[in-house]
Structure formats: C-alpha cells, structure tokens
Amino acid sequence: MTEAPKRRRVVCSLSHTIYENLALENYLFNKLDSQEELLFLWKNTDAVVIGRFQDPELECNLGALTRDGVPLARRQSGGGTVWHDLGNLCFTFMGPKAFFDRRKNLILIQTALEQLGFPAELNERHDILLHGKKISGSAFREKADRAFHHGTLLVASQLDKLHYYLKPEIEKSRSRHTRSVPSPVTQLSLWNPDITITEIENKLKELFSPEPAERISAERVQTEADFADYLEFLQSRDWIYGPGAD
C-alpha cells in the first residue's frame, strides 16, 4: 500500500515571466518525491494564459496582445483562459495521485482568506468566491503517480486589462475547442485596500508547512533538460496556436 506523504514544503518562484514559471512548475512536478506534497507560489508580469484545449482566437484579443507586447501562453492543464499580472497570485499544489484532493487544497486557501478577514466560499466548479463573485479559478493535471492542481487568486489585479484582453476579436458559432465560461469577478483589494500578496503568501506558507519556504529561479535550473527543453516548447508557435501555426 502506498504510504501517505511524510513531508510538505513550499517553493516560491523568483521569476515573473510566464513561460519560465510554467517551466519551473513542470520541472518541480517531474522532480516531485513520492513522499512529499509541495505548494508552488508564483507571480507573472502581464500575460494571458489559455487552457490546453482552447482556441486563442475564441478566448482573447490577439491583435491587442501583439500590439501591446503582452505574451500569450498555453498551459498543459484544461480549464479556461486567465489574466496574469503582479496583482494576481498563482498557486500549484502537487502530490502523490493516490492522496491528492483538490477540495482540500481549496479549503486551505479558503481558510487562509478567512483568517485574513475575507468570507470566501467554494462552489462546485472548484472556484473560490467572495461576496458571490469569482476571485479564483483552477485546473488540474495528473500523471500515473502524481497530480497537480493550480490556479490564480485575484488580489490587486488590473481588472480593466483582464476585461480588455480577454474579449475576443471574433466570434465563432461552432468550435471543437473548450470555451471559457464567463463569470463576474472581484478581487481582495476591493474589499480591503491594504491587503498585499505578501500577506496572502505568508498565510498560505504558515498553513501548508512549518518548514521555511524555498526559493527557485530559472537561472538555477536553466541547464537541466527537464527545464530548458520544456521552456523552449512552451514558447513554440505550434504549441501556443496549434500545429502549422505561421
């Protein structure tokens, strides 16, 4: 019988680049020890991230992204399109598949928010809500022996950019791709202007593990194939836009 994980640790990224952070996430996931659970915390400068099975034309304003130099990334997990900026905290829970529980992860975030004064609620779609509006969405990925659950938490994001860049230029009545389900959103700073991402991070660290958090940078692992090859793959046009993209 598989033993329950014996260790929990937190790793924080020093990068603010979407491709590097997705590559770091994949690197940590592949290197995960069978006897540990891990919480990866990360933030990015402005970026749009689509789900694995989505059509970027249906999800975002590609012309505006190109004009403004905002990167578009595709992640390995399913789910909908999200906006990233430095006011948006990203989290990834990783652990052995046999003991993985998405709801347990969300309850930890909910508890952290409640302890900081926010009456957060969970819904059946694995979203976190505040006063009836969405502040966090998440997606899931698994391999034979391990799984991860990642998502975003709107703390003090640029909601005007979120609405602008996530409004597609074209409409298609039919598509085989998964389309995002629009939801009214809010963020923590609208209910407490003094809240900071550092406070949220510290509370999550405290609840997840008694061990000091580790820090990881792209530079530290840039020569390792598990990181470098995947970083190159994430930035390829074929991956972002689909096979045969110009």
Side-chain angles (χ1 to χ4, degrees):
M1 176 182 266
T2 305
E3 293 185 30
K6 297 178 180 178
R7 183 188 179 199
R8 300 181 108 196
R9 63 189 179 110
V10 178
V11 178
C12 299
S13 176
L14 294 172
S15 175
H16 290 154
T17 301
I18 181 59
Y19 303 116
E20 290 182 351
N21 276 324
L22 288 174
L24 286 170
E25 177 187 66
N26 185 70
Y27 172 83
L28 291 169
F29 188 51
N30 287 337
K31 297 290 186 182
L32 189 71
D33 187 275
S34 63
Q35 292 300 307
E36 73 172 356
E37 293 177 302
L38 187 148
L39 172 59
F40 179 47
L41 296 175
W42 43 296
K43 301 182 292 291
N44 300 300
T45 50
D46 293 6
V48 170
V49 184
I50 61 176
R52 179 169 186 163
F53 306 107
Q54 293 195 296
D55 179 348
E57 286 189 329
L58 296 177
E59 298 299 327
C60 51
N61 189 328
L62 291 177
L65 293 179
T66 300
R67 287 193 304 271
D68 300 340
V70 176
L72 173 66
R74 185 188 295 274
R75 60 182 185 269
Q76 284 279 3
S77 63
T81 299
V82 290
W83 168 255
H84 287 217
D85 63 29
L86 292 177
N88 180 33
L89 177 62
C90 302
F91 58 85
T92 310
F93 293 90
M94 308 179 187
K97 183 177 175 180
F99 295 93
F100 206 73
D101 185 342
R102 278 183 282 182
R103 188 162 183 83
K104 179 186 72 173
N105 302 336
L106 293 173
I107 289 173
L108 184 140
I109 296 176
Q110 180 187 31
T111 301
L113 294 175
E114 287 176 342
Q115 291 185 8
L116 291 168
F118 299 98
E121 300 176 348
L122 309 181
N123 70 12
E124 69 284 352
R125 295 181 61 240
H126 298 108
D127 297 331
I128 302 176
L129 309 179
L130 182 63
H131 301 293
K133 293 185 177 181
K134 185 175 175 179
I135 56 171
S136 176
S138 55
F140 182 70
R141 180 188 175 197
E142 63 181 23
K143 290 188 172 184
D145 62 342
R146 66 196 66 193
F148 80 50
H149 167 211
H150 61 184
T152 57
L153 180 61
L154 291 168
V155 181
S157 193
Q158 304 167 89
L159 295 185
D160 55 339
K161 289 187 175 182
L162 179 154
H163 294 300
Y164 176 60
Y165 289 117
L166 268 56
K167 184 177 181 179
E169 293 177 289
I170 65 171
E171 284 295 331
K172 294 181 182 177
S173 58
R174 292 186 178 183
S175 174
R176 62 183 175 80
H177 295 88
T178 302
R179 301 190 72 160
S180 295
V181 179
S183 300
V185 299
T186 188
Q187 59 183 345
L188 301 180
S189 63
L190 294 178
W191 304 93
N192 176 3
D194 297 324
I195 192 67
T196 66
I197 281 187
T198 299
E199 288 180 88
I200 305 294
E201 287 178 319
N202 288 341
K203 180 57 68 173
L204 291 174
K205 293 173 191 175
E206 173 191 320
L207 293 175
F208 189 80
S209 174
E211 297 185 22
E214 305 166 35
R215 297 188 179 277
I216 190 170
S217 67
E219 290 74 20
R220 191 181 105 189
V221 297
Q222 62 184 343
T223 60
E224 299 201 32
D226 275 356
F227 174 79
D229 292 348
Y230 193 67
L231 177 61
E232 182 178 0
F233 167 75
L234 286 169
Q235 296 176 82
S236 67
R237 288 188 63 82
D238 275 1
W239 172 245
I240 296 172
Y241 294 99
D246 294 332

